[in-house]
Amino acid sequence: MLLARGYLVETMEMQHNLLRRGVFVDADEVHARKEQPPMLFGASERPTVPFAQQWDAVERRLTELLTNYLDGKFLRGISDVESMIAIASEEHTDQTIYSVIRHDQERFASYGITHSIHVACVCSILATRLGWSKKNKATVINAALTMNLSIIALQGELARSASAPTDRQRRQIRMHPAESVRMLQDAGVTDEDWLQAVEQHHESPDGRGYPYGTKRELSELSQMIRFADIFTAKYSARKTRASMPPRQAAQSVYLVSDGHPIASALLKEFGIYPPGCFVLLKSGETAVTIRRGNTPTAPLVAVVRDKNGLPIRDPLLRETVLPQYAILRTLPNQSTQYDTAIERLFTLTAE
């Protein structure tokens, strides 16, 4: 049983139950666990851990860090998560995109954390495509992970709420970039590029952004986060609306960007058939994309329903470059029941 730091034990009955079940742990064991480096992706000296489990570990780690941002190990922890995301997006790009696109849309309470991770992953992939320096790539990932530090809990509340934000919540949203900068400074962040990217990630060159509506030249890092933020928000569901297909989301970002190079890179990475999207094949089968192909229109897919619409227990690989398996169109998002099996397909098709 795990309780978050600061959790309120409200009744004596709850306290007695905790004591009865055993709330204490061995101090040496805790210390030993803390000494283990949290790096998972790319750690070849460790036993192979399924990608999905590593992904979950990143989410848990970031949750802990953003909840306890004044902890003395905050900066080192964010650096660890940044390294995990950079390695995952470089060495397992397709599976990273798949994990971003196929996240559980019903987990509204954790939206703030998952959204930050998704934006960071998209930024990492785009920075690689655009040939950014290692420093700028690390900085934009750090900024994406912490951009919503001041409203992480509020984002979860709003995602699962059927009501419009209150005036107070709207004010929090509008000022959250500036408030997140203040909190990061309190946590010991001194990197001006990092802080500027967080402060400006909702600013727009037309002056219609927030919190300040500035029209001055905005940092390239902040604009990458802005485009990635809009994109990932569009394909994420809320209690009040369904998700937008990734292809449509990427196209909509590009259309309002005035041809910005970052938005163009986003469209190239996510705008056709990115891993995780469902498609209808010429064979009549329903499939999900798992790897991009040599051309944007011919990815490797896994069939999950036959031509009669019946589920297939073990997904079948199809090369859509073959005429009989060509993609006809994309389909609405579907159940996640195949994700475990498809994880095995990633292993089988690894280069």
Side-chain angles (χ1 to χ4, degrees), residues 247 272-273 277-282 285 287 326-332:
R247 179 177 184 175
I272 308 298
Y273 304 117
C277 76
F278 283 83
V279 293
L280 177 66
L281 306 183
K282 188 176 181 180
E285 298 166 317
I327 295 175
L328 296 181
R329 65 177 184 273
T330 57
L331 296 172

Side-chain angles (χ1 to χ4, degrees), residues 6-263:
Y7 182 88
L8 180 64
V9 178
E10 298 178 330
T11 65
M12 289 300 295
E13 181 182 4
M14 183 183 294
Q15 178 181 329
H16 290 153
N17 285 336
L18 288 171
L19 292 171
R20 177 172 55 82
R21 294 174 182 176
V23 298
F24 303 105
V25 295
D26 185 83
D28 292 336
E29 180 182 344
V30 173
H31 180 72
R33 288 180 63 85
K34 287 184 176 180
E35 291 301 315
Q36 294 179 358
M39 183 66 67
L40 292 171
F41 294 109
S44 58
E45 71 277 5
R46 296 187 181 184
T48 301
V49 179
F51 188 94
Q53 292 183 26
Q54 300 185 59
W55 188 266
D56 290 342
V58 170
E59 184 176 324
R60 290 194 302 271
R61 181 64 171 144
L62 185 63
T63 300
E64 177 187 2
L65 290 166
L66 298 186
T67 303
N68 304 289
Y69 72 96
L70 293 178
D71 187 283
K73 297 181 180 179
F74 173 79
L75 291 179
R76 189 181 74 180
I78 290 294
S79 178
D80 289 338
V81 175
E82 176 271 313
S83 295
M84 295 178 196
I85 287 176
I87 293 172
S89 63
E90 289 173 6
E91 299 184 2
H92 312 281
T93 307
D94 289 314
Q95 200 161 358
T96 297
I97 295 175
Y98 184 95
S99 298
V100 169
I101 300 299
R102 295 289 300 134
H103 77 283
D104 186 352
Q105 298 277 358
E106 298 298 320
R107 294 177 58 216
F108 297 124
S110 63
Y111 174 83
I113 295 295
T114 57
H115 179 66
S116 297
I117 293 173
H118 293 174
V119 173
C121 288
V122 172
C123 286
S124 180
I125 292 168
L126 296 182
T128 298
R129 171 177 275 274
L130 294 171
W132 281 20
S133 68
K134 184 176 181 179
K135 178 184 182 301
N136 281 348
K137 180 176 178 178
T139 302
V140 77
I141 295 173
N142 286 333
L145 292 171
T146 58
M147 62 183 179
N148 295 326
L149 177 59
S150 63
I151 58 166
I152 287 293
L154 176 60
Q155 287 184 304
E157 292 176 21
L158 295 176
R160 65 176 181 266
S161 175
S163 304
T166 65
D167 290 342
R168 176 175 172 275
Q169 290 172 333
R170 291 183 189 279
R171 287 193 296 271
Q172 283 182 271
I173 293 170
R174 184 167 185 83
M175 293 309 299
H176 85 266
E179 180 62 14
S180 294
V181 166
R182 183 194 65 77
M183 294 169 70
L184 286 170
Q185 289 172 328
D186 290 344
V189 176
T190 59
D191 186 326
E192 290 299 325
D193 291 334
W194 179 347
L195 296 173
Q196 184 185 52
V198 170
E199 184 177 65
Q200 295 182 351
H201 78 274
H202 281 298
E203 298 287 3
S204 173
D206 61 10
R208 296 181 182 179
Y210 60 89
Y212 304 120
T214 180
K215 288 187 177 182
R216 69 176 184 272
E217 185 175 349
L218 302 171
S219 79
E220 193 173 30
L221 277 68
S222 74
Q223 295 308 284
M224 176 176 282
I225 295 175
R226 180 169 73 91
F227 289 129
D229 188 18
I230 296 171
F231 167 67
T232 54
K234 283 181 177 293
Y235 73 65
S236 296
R238 305 285 195 283
K239 190 72 173 179
T240 54
R241 65 166 174 80
S243 62
M244 181 183 291
R247 179 177 184 175
Q248 185 179 345
Q251 289 173 335
S252 67
V253 172
Y254 178 76
L255 289 174
V256 299
S257 73
D258 292 329
H260 197 290
I262 294 175

